């Protein structure tokens, strides 16, 4: 595993991080004991960054991750969770709910300290509720040492940039789906984040299932055109003897200027594949062929 020094926590962070949303069954049926084994295997492979949220599986992912990590020394890993999103359409960034959520997350994750707490999917709410209600509570917990860093996440890059412009309280931005085989719009946004003093976490190198043979979950909003391009790329990679998921992970591993890239994993097989693909060199000819397949949907959002 490769590491980058993160000044924020004054320690090396694995360039591949563990996204725990699959531990909540977000991508379909899920066996908790498999998930716990996956977390342990990830630690053995050198992954030391774990991200979760109360929303994932309506608290199930936090509970499973807490169980998995409880047998490990707390200084072996960095732990990130979120506040503000509690359901598909349930958002609450009020001060009272933020306090309650933090306490519940600490309990479920069986810890006294959260290395990062992220305001989850801020594009769905009025920015003022985040700046006036949630952020003062997060800052108070940070002063007490219970939270080490404060972040924000969301899909549209302009929404993240707007809120960062409005508040100087954020240490980290988590952006997803903006650096992968068909979308590289994160690259143009990185200087903005860096100029504002934010550390960046890139998530979803497999485009939330789009770049896997398993395809997308029913909640995914990718257009039929994008899904067809992914199917064509899947067939092309298969003919070349590798999976599209493998090429996608190898491509994501080339990203510089971020703390870590989070991939969602729920099984030991996924951990084994992703940690080995992460270190494997990409075939530039195959990459160019697949990028040509994706040219008609280049930088397409979902
Ligand atoms: P992802 O692109 O990492 O894809 C995850 C999907 O790919 C899951 O179905 C997983 O089972 C599957 N997968 C993983 N490894 C595979 C392999 N080797 N072969 C085939 N399939 C494989 O998407 P994600 O999980 O949404 O993103 C990663 C993490 O980033 C999340 O778990 C979460 O922690 C974080 N995230 C946060 C936000 C937010 O804050 N709004 C949004 C997206 C992601």
């Amino acid at each position: 595993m490769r590491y980058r020094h993160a000044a924020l926590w004054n320690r090396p962070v694995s360039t591949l991080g563990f996204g725990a949303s699959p531990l909540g069954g977000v991508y379909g049926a899920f066996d908790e004991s498999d998930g716990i084994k996956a977390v342990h295997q990830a630690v053995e492979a050198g992954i030391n960054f774990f991200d979760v949220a109360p929303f994932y599986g309506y608290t199930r992912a936090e509970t499973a991750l807490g169980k998995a990590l409880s047998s490990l020394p707390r200084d072996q890993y960095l732990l990130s969770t979120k506040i503000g999103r509690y359901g598909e359409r349930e958002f609450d960034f009020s001060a009272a709910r933020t306090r309650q959520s933090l306490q519940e997350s600490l309990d479920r994750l069986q810890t006294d300290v959260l290395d990062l707490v992220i305001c989850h999917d801020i594009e769905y709410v009025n920015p003022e509720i985040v700046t006036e209600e949630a952020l003062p509570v997060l800052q108070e917990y940070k002063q007490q040492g219970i939270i080490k860093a404060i972040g924000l996440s969301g899909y549209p890059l302009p929404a993240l940039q707007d809120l960062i412009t409005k508040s100087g309280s954020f240490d980290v931005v988590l952006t997803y789906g903006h650096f992968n085989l068909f979308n590289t719009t994160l690259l143009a946004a990185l200087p903005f984040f860096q100029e504002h003093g934010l550390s960046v976490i890139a998530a979803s190198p497999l485009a939330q299932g789009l770049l896997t043979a398993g395809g997308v979950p029913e909640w995914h909003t990718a257009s039929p055109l994008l899904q067809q391009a992914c199917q064509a790329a899947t067939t092309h990679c298969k003919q070349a003897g590798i999976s599209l998921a493998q090429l996608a992970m190898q491509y994501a591993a080339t990203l510089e200027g971020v703390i870590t890239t989070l991939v969602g994993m729920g099984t030991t097989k996924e951990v084994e594949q992703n940690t080995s693909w992460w270190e494997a060199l990409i075939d530039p000819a195959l990459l160019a062929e697949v990028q040509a397949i994706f040219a008609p949907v280049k930088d397409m959002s979902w």
Side-chain angles (χ1 to χ4, degrees):
M1 180 55 59
R2 285 170 291 123
Y3 297 84
R4 280 192 200 101
H5 183 79
L8 200 52
W9 299 290
N10 192 26
R11 60 178 288 174
V13 177
S14 54
T15 55
L16 184 62
F18 190 107
S21 61
L23 304 192
V26 168
Y27 287 97
F30 156 76
D31 180 282
E32 190 180 90
S33 67
D34 278 355
I36 290 174
K37 282 187 206 145
V39 170
H40 291 165
Q41 182 154 340
V43 172
E44 276 165 34
I47 289 179
N48 66 1
F49 191 98
F50 294 83
D51 176 69
V52 70
F55 173 47
Y56 301 153
Y58 302 95
T59 72
R60 278 194 296 150
E62 278 195 337
T63 301
L65 186 63
K67 278 187 199 169
L69 293 174
S70 64
S71 57
L72 299 167
R74 183 62 184 85
D75 60 1
Q76 255 192 33
Y77 58 88
L78 291 164
L79 188 52
S80 155
T81 191
K82 311 192 181 78
I83 55 103
R85 184 167 198 176
Y86 304 103
E88 204 49 51
R89 288 164 203 280
E90 195 194 330
F91 294 87
D92 188 346
F93 288 85
S94 67
R97 187 70 181 90
T98 300
R99 268 180 214 287
Q100 183 194 340
S101 185
L102 287 171
Q103 193 50 56
E104 289 169 354
S105 290
L106 287 163
D107 292 345
R108 283 190 290 265
L109 291 165
Q110 305 187 35
T111 184
D112 298 327
V113 175
L114 295 165
D115 300 289
L116 175 62
V117 174
I118 295 172
C119 297
H120 196 172
D121 291 345
I122 52 83
E123 69 266 34
Y124 292 100
V125 297
N126 185 332
E128 279 175 15
I129 184 91
V130 180
T131 55
E132 288 172 20
E133 297 260 343
L135 279 176
V137 174
L138 295 177
Q139 282 168 317
E140 181 192 315
Y141 275 66
K142 193 176 164 189
Q143 272 155 16
Q144 291 169 5
I146 302 169
I147 290 177
K148 299 294 179 191
I150 299 173
L152 76 168
S153 74
Y155 185 61
L157 292 166
L160 296 171
Q161 290 169 324
D162 275 0
L163 189 49
I164 290 165
T165 308
K166 286 189 172 78
S167 169
S169 301
F170 297 108
D171 306 296
V172 173
V173 58
L174 186 160
T175 156
Y176 66 100
H178 289 110
F179 187 79
N180 59 49
L181 288 171
F182 61 84
N183 186 326
T184 58
T185 46
L186 174 58
L187 297 178
L190 278 179
F192 172 91
F193 295 141
Q194 283 150 4
E195 280 157 24
H196 285 78
L198 272 86
S199 300
V200 181
I201 294 176
S204 312
L206 299 172
Q208 303 197 298
L210 261 181
L211 297 170
T212 69
V216 290
E218 63 180 31
W219 48 260
H220 207 299
T221 54
S223 67
L225 191 65
L226 187 50
Q227 297 202 34
Q228 281 156 19
C230 291
Q231 275 154 17
T234 299
T235 308
H236 189 81
C237 283
K238 207 171 172 186
Q239 283 160 358
I242 77 168
S243 67
L244 180 61
Q246 173 168 352
L247 190 75
M249 290 302 293
Q250 288 173 309
Y251 183 66
T254 65
L255 179 61
E256 294 294 335
V258 298
I259 306 178
T260 191
T261 295
L262 296 172
V263 63
M265 300 187 275
T267 64
T268 51
K269 185 177 174 203
E270 287 174 348
V271 174
E272 201 180 303
Q273 288 181 329
N274 293 337
T275 50
S276 118
W277 294 343
W278 197 246
E279 307 302 330
L281 286 180
I282 199 159
D283 172 351
L286 179 62
L287 174 62
E289 287 159 18
V290 168
Q291 283 173 330
I293 292 172
F294 280 128
V297 293
K298 178 84 178 91
D299 294 341
M300 189 179 265
S301 298
W302 66 70

